[in-house]
Amino acid sequence: MKLISFKNIFFFLIGFFFIAWLYNFFSGPEALKYILDHKELGFFLVLAHIPTIYFDSVSWQLLMKTKQLNIYWCFVITWISQTSGKLFPTGNVTGEFVRIFLSTKKGMSGSEASSTVIGDVALAAMSLLIMAIFSFLSLIYLYEEFSILGGANKYLFYSILILSLTSLIFCFSIRKRFLKSLIKKPLIFFKLNINHVKSLLRFDYELYALSFRIKTVCFALVIRLLGWVGGAFEIYIFFFVIGIDVSLLDVIIIESFTAILRSIMFFIPAGLGVQEIAFVIAGNFVGLSSEISFSAAIGRRIREVLVGIPAIISWYTLFKKTNN
């Protein structure tokens, strides 16, 4: 546990100092001035984030077989879990554990909570992959000078390949019930008590059964895709408020590249540094200056804080009685 904590703190500090370097290198004071000159940004960014949380919540609820959580609690738990993955000095995966924990506190079985959350994470990755491929092809079509493996472009290309490979491996392992086969291995079986074995088998079966609900999964995938578009809309609102002219395709490219790079680097606490450099690189793809792109990255961080603080308060107040 101490090693894990030290690792998280180590990556957190690296990310913090990387942001400080980016702030100095990309004219941080000028980037910050765009935000300070438009103090109403915080209000608009918080409002613009609501559709994203809503679509993510609907996608998750669609995967629930028993619908033990209504859309209100799905929204609240998704809101809290996303905050924990972006604000806490731990990797992004922390939010998914929080979502499982809080959904079980509201009465959902552990196997269904874990299987629907993991299934939803897989859909998030697949919908992001669709959006990233669309953005990549758009860049190739719109810009003749765009080189697939030239400069920073190769990071987007390799990220798409990695995400594609992991998605295929995940789908294959679920259909082949790899976890069940792994548990049957004598060396692993004897290291687990019978309750843990039963829980893992229930989780494996729930995820396996979910993979056959094709219509539901496809519909949830479309809803998840709308969630990513909602994230791009937030960026569009930011540029609109500060008076920068961008197209919807521009912000989709920025959102998809930023999200895919942050997903690949999920172990970096709160995506510190990763998110900021991704905004700058993607902004350069669509012709924005580094200062403006970096200001958008700062705006995203400000939104995460403004949305996150009420989420932490809600966690304490809404689940206090449950924990007691």
Side-chain angles (χ1 to χ4, degrees):
M1 188 67 183
K2 289 183 178 179
L3 180 61
I4 295 175
S5 298
F6 175 78
K7 181 185 70 175
N8 289 333
I9 293 172
F10 175 73
F11 281 123
F12 182 80
L13 290 175
I14 288 179
F16 179 80
F17 286 115
F18 188 47
I19 289 179
W21 176 80
L22 290 172
Y23 183 84
N24 292 322
F25 187 80
F26 292 117
S27 303
E30 293 180 22
L32 193 58
K33 189 176 184 299
Y34 283 106
I35 297 173
L36 295 177
D37 289 344
H38 301 85
K39 295 183 176 62
E40 69 278 13
L41 260 173
F43 173 76
F44 286 112
L45 291 178
V46 169
L47 284 182
H49 188 57
I50 293 175
T52 300
I53 302 177
Y54 176 75
F55 286 128
D56 291 351
S57 305
V58 171
S59 171
W60 178 35
Q61 191 194 41
L62 284 171
L63 300 181
M64 298 177 189
K65 186 169 57 179
T66 58
K67 298 295 188 291
Q68 287 178 294
L69 298 180
N70 58 32
I71 191 61
Y72 168 77
W73 281 112
C74 287
F75 185 94
V76 171
I77 292 173
T78 300
W79 175 32
I80 293 171
S81 66
Q82 289 182 357
T83 292
S84 63
K86 293 174 181 176
L87 289 186
F88 293 169
T90 52
N92 289 343
V93 72
T94 303
E96 310 315 329
F97 288 114
V98 170
R99 185 153 48 134
I100 293 171
F101 172 76
L102 294 182
S103 55
T104 56
K105 287 295 181 181
K106 293 304 298 181
M108 186 181 288
S109 66
S111 58
E112 185 172 13
S114 54
S115 62
T116 55
V117 167
I118 297 302
D120 187 51
V121 171
L123 289 184
M126 292 175 189
S127 57
L128 173 59
L129 179 60
I130 292 171
M131 198 167 74
I133 292 174
F134 169 77
S135 300
F136 196 70
L137 294 177
S138 299
L139 287 170
I140 295 174
Y141 177 76
L142 293 174
Y143 303 100
E144 294 182 359
E145 69 278 9
F146 185 84
S147 174
I148 293 178
L149 296 178
N153 306 350
K154 60 185 177 184
Y155 297 113
L156 178 57
F157 178 73
Y158 290 140
S159 296
I160 291 175
L161 284 182
I162 292 172
L163 195 56
S164 301
L165 182 61
T166 52
S167 296
L168 287 173
I169 292 174
F170 177 81
C171 293
F172 179 80
S173 63
I174 295 304
R175 278 302 181 95
K176 295 298 181 180
R177 303 195 68 178
F178 176 75
L179 181 59
K180 180 182 178 181
S181 302
L182 188 64
I183 293 172
K184 287 184 176 181
K185 300 294 182 182
L187 290 177
I188 296 175
F189 182 84
F190 287 117
K191 289 183 179 180
L192 299 172
N193 64 48
I194 191 64
N195 291 328
H196 289 159
V197 171
K198 289 180 178 179
S199 296
L200 288 173
L201 287 175
R202 282 195 294 268
F203 163 72
D204 174 74
Y205 177 76
E206 291 281 359
L207 207 53
Y208 175 73
L210 179 61
S211 70
F212 285 93
R213 295 165 57 196
I214 305 298
K215 290 183 179 179
T216 299
V217 170
C218 289
F219 187 41
L221 178 64
V222 172
I223 300 299
R224 255 295 184 172
L225 191 57
L226 290 176
W228 287 117
V229 174
F233 179 70
E234 292 178 41
I235 302 174
Y236 181 85
I237 291 295
F238 176 89
F239 288 130
F240 176 78
V241 173
I242 67 172
I244 302 298
D245 184 31
V246 293
S247 67
L248 183 58
L249 178 59
D250 290 339
V251 294
I252 287 177
I253 290 172
I254 294 173
E255 173 69 11
S256 59
F257 180 74
T258 303
I260 198 171
L261 192 58
R262 185 164 176 167
S263 297
I264 297 298
M265 305 294 288
F266 68 90
F267 53 88
I268 301 294
L272 289 175
V274 176
Q275 181 169 283
E276 286 68 25
I277 193 64
F279 260 93
V280 173
I281 293 173
N284 289 337
F285 282 158
V286 298
L288 296 174
S289 68
S290 298
E291 293 80 7
I292 293 175
S293 301
F294 190 58
S295 71
I298 296 173
R300 175 60 64 89
R301 288 294 181 190
I302 291 173
R303 190 270 292 160
E304 289 175 356
V305 172
L306 292 177
V307 171
I309 292 175
I312 300 302
I313 295 172
S314 298
W315 185 350
Y316 178 77
T317 55
L318 294 175
F319 291 91
K320 183 179 179 181
K321 292 182 180 178
T322 306
N323 291 333
N324 290 336

